[in-house]
């Protein structure tokens, strides 16, 4: 080996030429270097500054309600009863409370659920029987 190829072993990067460990080059989680300590005492915290720190926190976010699972269903009703839905929609519009068919059906279910058993059975028996309608099969 030639003398020009021989090199001294280099000191580790964490050691300065004075022999002390380097602290100013340490990087935090966000990539910023740690501030150097100049030996001065920290300033006294006044109550006004302390309040500013306490008030600095953002208000907690409200907890969102879970979505109600929806069930998709399909059913057939006689034309006359379907026309009643349209009439009830118009009635809701006249009362300054527009409603969709879905809302009317849901309100009707809630009203039936609130009835006593005798009135509930009377409402069911007042309905005419209808044969279940099935779509015709394509040939």
């Amino acid at each position: 080996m030639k003398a020009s190829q021989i090199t001294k072993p280099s000191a580790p990067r964490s050691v300065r030429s004075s022999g002390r460990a380097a602290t100013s080059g340490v990087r935090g989680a966000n990539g910023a270097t740690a501030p150097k300590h100049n030996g001065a005492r920290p300033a006294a915290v006044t109550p006004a500054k302390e309040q500013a720190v306490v008030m600095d926190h953002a208000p907690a976010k409200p907890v969102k309600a879970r979505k109600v699972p929806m069930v998709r269903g399909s059913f057939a009703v006689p034309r006359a009863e379907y026309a009643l839905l349209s009439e009830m929609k118009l009635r809701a519009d006249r009362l300054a409370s527009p409603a969709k068919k879905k809302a009317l059906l849901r309100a009707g279910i809630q009203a039936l659920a609130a009835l006593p058993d005798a009135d509930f059975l009377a409402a069911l028996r007042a309905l005419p029987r209808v044969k279940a309608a099935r779509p015709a099969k394509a040939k």
Side-chain angles (χ1 to χ4, degrees):
M1 255 176 136
K2 295 181 182 179
S4 63
Q5 292 178 340
I6 299 174
T7 60
K8 290 183 182 179
S10 61
R13 289 185 179 203
S14 64
V15 177
R16 293 186 189 161
S17 61
S18 65
R20 295 185 309 164
T23 56
S24 64
V26 177
R27 296 201 178 268
N30 62 359
T33 57
K36 291 183 180 179
H37 182 63
N38 61 3
R41 289 183 163 182
V45 176
T46 60
K49 287 183 180 178
E50 196 172 288
Q51 283 180 347
V53 171
V54 172
M55 301 298 280
D56 191 33
H57 297 292
K61 291 183 179 178
V63 179
K64 289 185 178 180
R66 285 185 155 186
K67 288 185 177 179
V68 178
M70 303 296 276
V71 179
R72 192 158 193 76
S74 177
F75 54 90
V77 294
R79 280 186 204 261
E81 292 174 15
Y82 192 80
L84 281 175
L85 277 174
S86 296
E87 288 178 22
M88 285 190 281
K89 282 182 66 169
L90 292 174
R91 182 178 176 187
D93 286 341
R94 282 193 308 266
L95 296 172
S97 181
K100 295 185 177 186
K101 286 183 280 188
K102 179 170 91 170
L104 292 172
L105 291 172
R106 290 178 60 216
I109 290 169
Q110 294 296 322
L112 283 172
L115 290 176
D117 290 342
D119 293 338
F120 175 71
L121 283 175
L124 286 179
R125 290 183 181 142
L127 290 174
R129 294 274 176 192
V130 272
K131 184 179 175 184
R134 298 280 179 200
K137 292 185 179 180
K139 289 185 180 183

